[in-house]
Amino acid sequence: MSLFEIIYTGSNAALGLAQQTVADAIKEKGKDHKVAFPGTAYSLPVIYAATGIKIATLGELEGALGVVKSLIVEEEDMGKALNAGLATAVSAEIIEGVRYALSEDPYKNETGIGFVPDSIIRSLGVPLVTGDIPGIAVIIGESSDKDSLGTIVKDYQSKGLLTFLVGNVIDQVVEAEVKVGLEFRVIPLGNQITSVIHVVSVAVRAALIFGALKPGDLSGLLNYTKERVPAFINTFGPLNEVVVSCGAGAIALGFPVIADTDVPEVPGALLSQKDHNETVRTSLEARNIKIKIKELPIPVSYASAFEGERIRKDT
Amino acid sequence: MSHEVLGFDVTADALLEKAKRDGAETMWDRKAAMKASCGFGEKGICCKNCSMGPCRISPVEGKGAQKGICGATADTIVARNFARTVAAGVSSHSDHARDIIHVLHMASEDGNYKVKNPEKLMKLAKEWEVDTEGKEIYQIAHEVAEVALMEFGKPFGTQRFIKRAPEPRQKIWKDLNIEPRAIDREVATILHSTHIGCTSEVDSLMDMSMRTSLSNGWGGSMMGTEFTDIVFGTPTARSTEANLGVIEENMVNILLHGHDPSFSEMVVLAAEDPELMKLAKDNGAEGINLVGMCCTGNEVTMRHGVKIAGNFYQQEMAIVTGAMEAVLVDVQCIYPALPKLAECYHTKFIATSPKAKMEGATYIEFNEEHALDITKKIVREAILNYKNRDRTKVMIPQQKSKAMLGYSVETIIDHLDKVVNSQTDVFETVKPLSDVIWAGVIRGAAGIVGCNNPKVQHDNSHITIMKELIKNDIIVVTTGCAAQAAAKAGLLTMEAKELAGRGLREVCERVGIPPILHMGSCVDISRILDLVSRVSKERGLDNSNLPVVGVAPEWMSEKAVGIGTYVVSSGIDTFLGITPQVTGSARFVDILTNQLEDKVGAKFFFEEDPTVCAQKIMERIEEKRDRLGI
Ligand code: SF4
Ligand code: SF4
């Protein structure tokens, strides 16, 4: 299967799941049942930012499925493949939206926090702009080795990055005795892949809040995230189609994906780095993140590790 | 005469009107006078290889003459004519290469010609196993040049550069017995075998054509490029301007037209001479404005950013502007009509090569021993001619476009290094290019090359195909007059990425390149062979596996036939926008457009409609991708 075919397969699977989830919810609660994430003025932020439409009910959510469908055009074309990636993001938001519609707190039995409220995003604004938070790492999947995973997260931590966790990596990181929580800049989102939307939602709301972007200006949004939100994705373990298609969504937002398995590489966007000792360096370089060494209270060994890091030629 | 055919180029109409007013004859007048061209020649079924002929075969099977007097069939005659065309094309490129190698052979520390790129020389010395231990650079240069000169006439062995091809490709050549031997030998063998009463077997003539063409692509042309880089430097990215608007109202305009960089490079030096610059000012001009045309124009623009006046079909128009003090030519693609045309104006037409003396031209022989002195003398003539310009007869069209060029393989790789993650990959490879092709971010690559031809709307096929391909995420590399068409159309700019599909646009942004890369002159098509082969090797495949094509939308010269044949023989499908003179033999057409694929994994496609051609190219590229499962 070509890379694009994998993406389309994943996008269609996510769409199918979203359709089913919405249909089941409507059967149970009716079309007028309320849909909302807690603590946000941006409705379902991804859908709102991309289309300008605020979703309030399950019925309207059903309408949003049309947006997803229209984004999946199965042609061997990079632009279309990236759109299909965005479609998966929207599907994920729809599924998560339903979870919140059906339950007061769908994450109460998980380590993950689920939806990130506006207040937290606002508190992140200043350190992001000043470079105090030099980057955002999104870690997805399940690592073959929890110790090296722990080391990676600690490394990001020590460099001041904000790390979001999705999937079994959450439990692995906890087992590796990494302190998690907003104050430690390590935020577990949820165990299911759809929880990844809650970090996308952070990036998207950053564009709306700090970039004063108009809802519905999709290309402006993608430009903002690419230029201004220094995020990247690390995936661990084998990738299924849905994860790959999520990855396409990340790439559409300008976030490079670094996998620890074999993937069809795209320079600067989709890389394979099997050596966990090199994950951090590879990722920072891929997102062009430079660490302001002096401002961080970290051991000297970290600083020296980064000296002479920029070895590429200027042409 | 209707100029409808020129509608695409806004500069042409007005200039042709002017030519008429000035009583100057152009190719369009001569094309009109030609009326319908001869059907026998058009189909390739006319033979005059001996004085029993000329013979012509009836184009209708079973009706009229079916054989020449000697018994040659239409198939044989078509194949023989084709083979001779290839031989002529190969000789032009190879003789050009021979000259530049001689120049390296005579290069010296304090001479006119130096070794500008010693690293490339050392690399080649190593590749060819020339012992460099304890030798100074010029001694090495001479020895390498001598080895190269042997490639033209060595009694044994095959071309050295074929080792640069991917291994499966080398094997195909070996199995088919078409590994090119000495260049001149291959050419001579074709002339021999196409003599009356020699080869009549069509497949054998095709094999010979392939072998001879390979002696160019992987011999003459490749050496031409390599040695030109060694002597004058490997091109690097730079900007320039293109189209007739680069001719300056208040400067001494000198047009460089032809092919040979050993001449044009010296003219560039001469035009920078402070004394001559002063002379120009003393004569009332603001300075000296050197502009290029055709491949010599490409050579000097790739290395010095010399502005491009135009491509093949504009050679007369450059003179018709009335602002050209001198036209300096060496060899190849120069209309014999130019000296006469120059007489309608004050323009001095100066031929410089003993290989291309031209009726009616002023002849100042260029020789490499006194290169700079001679070119200075020639430039002086041009300057002194400035005062003779008839200002009432001047009309310079104000069109010109910016262009980025200089994309040698080395420069492309340098750019690719920008997107290499130092933690996951190594620098100085074509892997990033191969990765984006494999991932589908770009669908494939097309090399668009070749000439202009009044049979089709000038530049229209080049531009239509280029635009269509980049829109669909196919990266384009280009050389020759096709590249100049792209330059004029503004396609060689960073901004042109907006015309590209999402994937290609992304690549352009990240790598910092235009969607169409100007890789040089016609001999520099060897750079394309090099690039494609590197990608093949990166993947452990053969060229014929890659989603890559060659296209000659408006080809006209025998060189182009020689090129197309070596590109196909190298495993790369080639699309011709002008049908070659072979249609008189259904069997030969079938060989070119069908059977060759079984032999060399690639074939010719004939398609004169540029939009349809682009469509077919894309289909073929997707077909190759499917076969690879990517
Ligand atoms: S070679 Fe044969 S076909 Fe050609 S001119 Fe002579 S007799 Fe005629
Ligand atoms: S592209 Fe064709 S016309 Fe132009 S210089 Fe080369 S051979 Fe001549």
Side-chain angles (χ1 to χ4, degrees):
Chain A
M1 248 201 301
S2 76
L3 176 60
F4 294 169
E5 283 165 350
I6 299 174
I7 293 170
Y8 295 131
T9 306
S11 303
N12 282 323
L15 169 62
L17 194 59
Q19 282 167 330
Q20 193 59 50
T21 312
V22 173
D24 290 349
I26 288 178
K27 210 183 270 167
E28 194 184 327
K29 304 276 183 186
K31 286 198 184 210
D32 294 331
H33 187 77
K34 213 169 129 283
V35 172
F37 287 126
T40 181
Y42 301 93
S43 175
L44 270 53
V46 176
I47 296 173
Y48 180 52
T51 64
I53 299 167
K54 285 197 174 187
I55 304 276
T57 65
L58 283 176
E60 286 166 3
L61 206 50
E62 194 177 30
L65 289 166
V67 176
V68 180
K69 239 192 215 141
S70 70
L71 281 172
I72 307 175
V73 180
E74 293 182 45
E75 280 171 29
E76 288 283 327
D77 174 280
M78 153 112 157
K80 304 211 161 74
L82 293 183
N83 280 345
L86 293 174
T88 304
V90 176
S91 291
E93 186 167 64
I94 290 172
I95 293 166
E96 288 291 309
V98 171
R99 286 179 73 184
Y100 277 92
L102 298 183
S103 150
E104 188 70 23
D105 180 6
Y107 282 86
K108 67 172 169 287
N109 297 324
E110 279 193 40
T111 322
I113 65 161
F115 186 80
V116 181
D118 291 354
S119 56
I120 293 186
I121 296 173
R122 287 183 195 280
S123 74
L124 293 174
V126 175
L128 264 172
V129 170
T130 57
D132 181 34
I133 296 176
I136 299 172
V138 182
I139 298 185
I140 301 178
E142 176 170 354
S143 178
S144 56
D145 167 21
K146 71 174 180 341
D147 293 333
S148 65
L149 177 68
T151 311
I152 289 169
V153 177
K154 280 184 203 152
D155 200 352
Y156 287 143
Q157 218 171 18
S158 74
K159 291 182 167 67
L161 276 83
L162 189 59
T163 303
F164 289 94
L165 306 172
V166 177
N168 291 345
V169 287
I170 294 179
D171 303 327
Q172 293 184 304
V173 164
V174 172
E175 280 168 40
E177 293 179 348
V178 180
K179 293 199 175 103
V180 302
L182 185 59
E183 65 276 36
F184 301 110
R185 294 190 178 172
V186 179
I187 305 175
L189 287 175
N191 287 100
Q192 277 160 38
I193 180 67
T194 49
S195 301
V196 76
I197 197 61
H198 299 311
V199 59
V200 175
S201 163
V202 170
V204 160
R205 274 176 287 161
L208 294 174
I209 299 170
F210 308 119
L213 224 85
K214 284 211 179 60
D217 176 7
L218 180 59
S219 68
L221 170 74
L222 298 181
N223 214 29
Y224 184 91
T225 51
K226 181 177 172 188
E227 302 292 332
R228 308 296 293 275
V229 182
F232 59 87
I233 322 295
N234 289 159
T235 68
F236 289 92
L239 304 176
N240 64 29
E241 287 93 349
V242 175
V243 177
V244 173
S245 134
C246 276
I251 292 168
L253 293 160
F255 307 154
V257 178
I258 297 89
D260 77 340
T261 53
D262 276 322
V263 286
E265 290 190 273
V266 179
L270 179 56
L271 307 182
S272 168
Q273 174 55 275
K274 292 182 197 164
D275 182 352
H276 291 174
N277 295 320
E278 299 297 336
T279 306
V280 173
R281 257 193 281 202
T282 305
S283 303
L284 296 181
E285 183 176 326
R287 194 64 180 111
N288 203 12
I289 294 170
K290 300 188 179 90
I291 306 299
K292 286 200 216 163
I293 292 157
K294 265 179 283 171
E295 292 175 21
L296 291 169
I298 54 171
V300 184
S301 62
Y302 278 112
S304 60
F306 273 79
E307 272 170 15
E309 172 217 19
R310 308 292 305 167
I311 59 166
R312 62 183 60 242
K313 290 184 285 181
D314 277 318
T315 39
Chain B
M1 182 182 82
S2 154
H3 295 153
E4 255 164 67
V5 73
L6 301 168
F8 180 75
D9 183 336
V10 282
T11 66
D13 270 327
L15 278 172
L16 287 191
E17 286 299 319
K18 179 176 187 294
K20 219 192 289 176
R21 280 201 305 278
D22 295 346
E25 178 201 277
T26 67
M27 66 183 286
W28 286 277
D29 301 313
R30 296 188 295 272
K31 172 103 169 80
M34 199 61 63
K35 305 230 165 62
S37 52
C38 165
F40 296 96
E42 189 78 55
K43 294 186 166 66
I45 42 178
C46 159
C47 176
K48 45 187 179 48
N49 289 8
C50 84
S51 74
M52 295 195 285
C55 297
R56 52 188 204 184
I57 307 299
S58 161
V60 189
E61 236 191 89
K63 216 175 141 210
Q66 297 296 301
K67 283 175 188 160
I69 294 169
C70 65
T73 61
D75 298 335
T76 297
I77 291 173
V78 164
R80 273 197 319 219
N81 288 343
F82 184 87
R84 285 193 164 206
T85 308
V86 169
V90 169
S91 350
S92 321
H93 275 147
S94 302
D95 215 32
H96 165 164
R98 191 194 324 266
D99 283 350
I100 187 76
I101 299 167
H102 270 293
V103 163
L104 181 70
H105 193 262
M106 63 176 284
S108 67
E109 195 85 65
D110 43 12
N112 290 159
Y113 299 103
K114 301 191 173 42
V115 173
K116 237 193 175 158
N117 192 341
E119 300 85 53
K120 196 153 181 164
L121 172 66
M122 292 305 280
K123 252 195 208 157
L124 184 57
K126 192 163 168 235
E127 183 178 345
W128 282 357
E129 293 168 350
V130 173
D131 181 23
T132 56
E133 196 64 38
K135 291 178 192 159
E136 57 100 26
I137 198 80
Y138 284 91
Q139 192 184 344
I140 297 168
H142 301 162
E143 287 180 24
V144 170
E146 258 173 51
V147 175
L149 288 168
M150 288 304 288
E151 294 294 280
F152 292 87
K154 59 186 180 187
F156 306 108
T158 52
Q159 287 296 299
R160 289 168 178 265
F161 278 148
I162 60 176
K163 295 227 165 58
R164 288 185 171 184
E167 296 223 350
R169 182 55 29 186
Q170 293 184 43
K171 183 167 183 314
I172 289 171
W173 292 337
K174 193 172 185 65
D175 293 349
L176 288 174
N177 195 20
I178 58 170
E179 285 178 309
R181 304 160 299 175
I183 302 164
D184 294 348
R185 174 182 182 182
E186 298 301 1
V187 172
T189 298
I190 279 205
L191 294 178
H192 174 187
S193 297
T194 53
H195 188 276
I196 177 179
C198 214
T199 310
S200 64
E201 212 266 303
V202 179
D203 287 304
S204 170
L205 285 162
M206 188 65 225
D207 287 352
M208 270 187 228
S209 300
M210 289 200 283
R211 187 170 61 196
T212 306
S213 74
L214 288 170
S215 79
N216 176 27
W218 298 86
S221 282
M222 198 166 276
M223 289 197 288
T225 298
E226 199 84 0
F227 282 79
T228 306
D229 283 357
I230 290 171
V231 180
F232 300 118
T234 302
T236 52
R238 66 190 67 240
S239 65
T240 191
E241 289 177 333
N243 214 347
L244 292 171
V246 303
I247 298 170
E248 294 284 346
E249 182 87 51
N250 298 316
M251 291 180 116
V252 175
N253 292 304
I254 301 177
L255 181 70
L256 272 171
H257 178 20
H259 283 77
D260 188 355
S262 48
F263 173 65
S264 54
E265 282 280 336
M266 282 301 134
V267 178
V268 173
L269 261 187
E272 285 167 356
D273 184 86
E275 235 171 81
L276 289 173
M277 282 159 81
K278 182 167 176 301
L279 185 67
K281 292 223 164 84
D282 293 346
N283 275 268
E286 283 170 9
I288 304 168
N289 183 40
L290 206 58
V291 295
M293 180 159 273
C294 281
C295 279
T296 220
N298 281 327
E299 297 277 2
V300 287
T301 199
M302 290 286 282
R303 294 192 181 80
H304 303 282
V306 169
K307 292 176 182 167
I308 300 167
N311 50 356
F312 181 70
Y313 84 96
Q314 286 171 304
Q315 52 185 295
E316 292 177 318
M317 293 181 205
I319 297 176
V320 173
T321 61
M324 201 53 76
E325 271 62 57
V327 175
L328 316 183
V329 303
D330 44 56
V331 291
Q332 300 174 21
C333 300
I334 302 147
Y335 284 177
L338 295 190
K340 188 94 191 123
L341 178 67
E343 280 173 22
C344 295
Y345 305 91
H346 75 301
T347 309
K348 272 203 167 142
F349 186 88
I350 302 175
T352 62
S353 169
K355 291 176 192 169
K357 292 192 177 180
M358 299 185 71
E359 286 293 348
T362 304
Y363 182 65
I364 303 180
E365 185 159 310
F366 174 75
N367 79 51
E368 288 83 358
E369 305 292 327
H370 306 105
L372 192 56
D373 289 343
I374 295 171
T375 49
K376 276 191 191 164
K377 184 174 147 209
I378 293 174
V379 170
R380 178 180 297 272
E381 293 259 339
I383 295 169
L384 296 177
N385 195 24
Y386 182 69
K387 60 178 183 302
N388 299 327
R389 195 195 288 180
D390 178 353
R391 303 250 160 200
T392 64
K393 269 184 148 180
V394 171
M395 189 184 90
I396 305 170
Q398 288 312 304
Q399 274 86 24
K400 59 179 178 185
S401 307
K402 290 210 179 328
M404 284 297 295
L405 34 73
Y407 296 98
S408 55
V409 172
E410 292 86 339
T411 299
I412 290 175
I413 289 177
D414 264 357
H415 278 74
L416 292 175
D417 275 354
K418 276 195 195 177
V419 293
V420 170
N421 192 302
S422 64
Q423 309 302 320
T424 56
D425 269 319
V426 287
F427 292 105
E428 289 178 38
T429 74
V430 294
K431 179 164 182 289
L433 176 60
S434 116
D435 281 346
V436 288
I437 292 177
W438 250 254
V441 172
I442 61 177
R443 310 305 299 166
I448 302 186
V449 304
C451 325
N452 292 121
N453 191 319
K455 285 183 177 166
V456 296
Q457 208 175 346
H458 283 306
D459 284 356
N460 179 50
S461 300
H462 290 311
I463 302 306
T464 305
I465 295 174
M466 286 177 183
K467 282 189 171 164
E468 204 55 37
L469 295 188
I470 60 172
K471 191 171 86 195
N472 287 286
D473 287 334
I474 293 166
I475 194 167
V476 171
V477 297
T478 181
T479 64
C481 290
Q484 295 176 327
K488 289 186 287 169
L491 297 179
L492 304 185
T493 56
M494 298 297 175
E495 295 76 44
K497 71 173 194 293
E498 298 307 328
L499 302 172
R502 177 72 193 270
L504 178 55
R505 191 165 74 227
E506 195 85 24
V507 169
C508 291
E509 277 167 11
R510 286 174 191 248
V511 180
I513 50 168
I516 299 181
L517 298 172
H518 188 329
M519 292 186 73
S521 64
C522 292
V523 291
D524 291 339
I525 293 174
S526 61
R527 298 191 201 273
I528 303 180
L529 286 184
D530 181 14
L531 188 64
V532 173
S533 298
R534 283 175 196 243
V535 176
S536 298
K537 285 189 254 181
E538 176 78 43
R539 293 276 167 181
L541 295 168
D542 178 48
N543 297 339
S544 61
N545 300 123
L546 302 187
V548 164
V549 300
V551 198
E554 305 179 18
W555 73 273
M556 63 91 205
S557 68
E558 292 169 315
K559 285 182 286 175
V561 179
I563 294 166
T565 306
Y566 78 62
V567 172
V568 168
S569 312
S570 300
I572 303 166
D573 290 312
T574 296
F575 290 74
L576 300 180
I578 305 280
T579 305
Q581 292 155 3
V582 296
T583 54
S585 164
R587 181 168 155 209
F588 197 69
V589 170
D590 189 57
I591 290 176
L592 292 180
T593 60
N594 182 27
Q595 296 174 30
L596 274 185
E597 191 171 6
D598 295 332
K599 271 183 150 171
V600 293
K603 60 184 179 184
F604 283 99
F605 292 74
F606 305 158
E607 181 50 66
E608 302 200 347
D609 179 323
T611 312
V612 178
C613 188
Q615 199 53 46
K616 288 186 177 170
I617 290 169
M618 294 187 286
E619 281 164 17
R620 185 68 166 167
I621 280 180
E622 291 303 326
E623 187 187 326
K624 291 270 167 117
R625 295 188 67 92
D626 286 345
R627 285 190 208 168
L628 280 171
I630 56 173

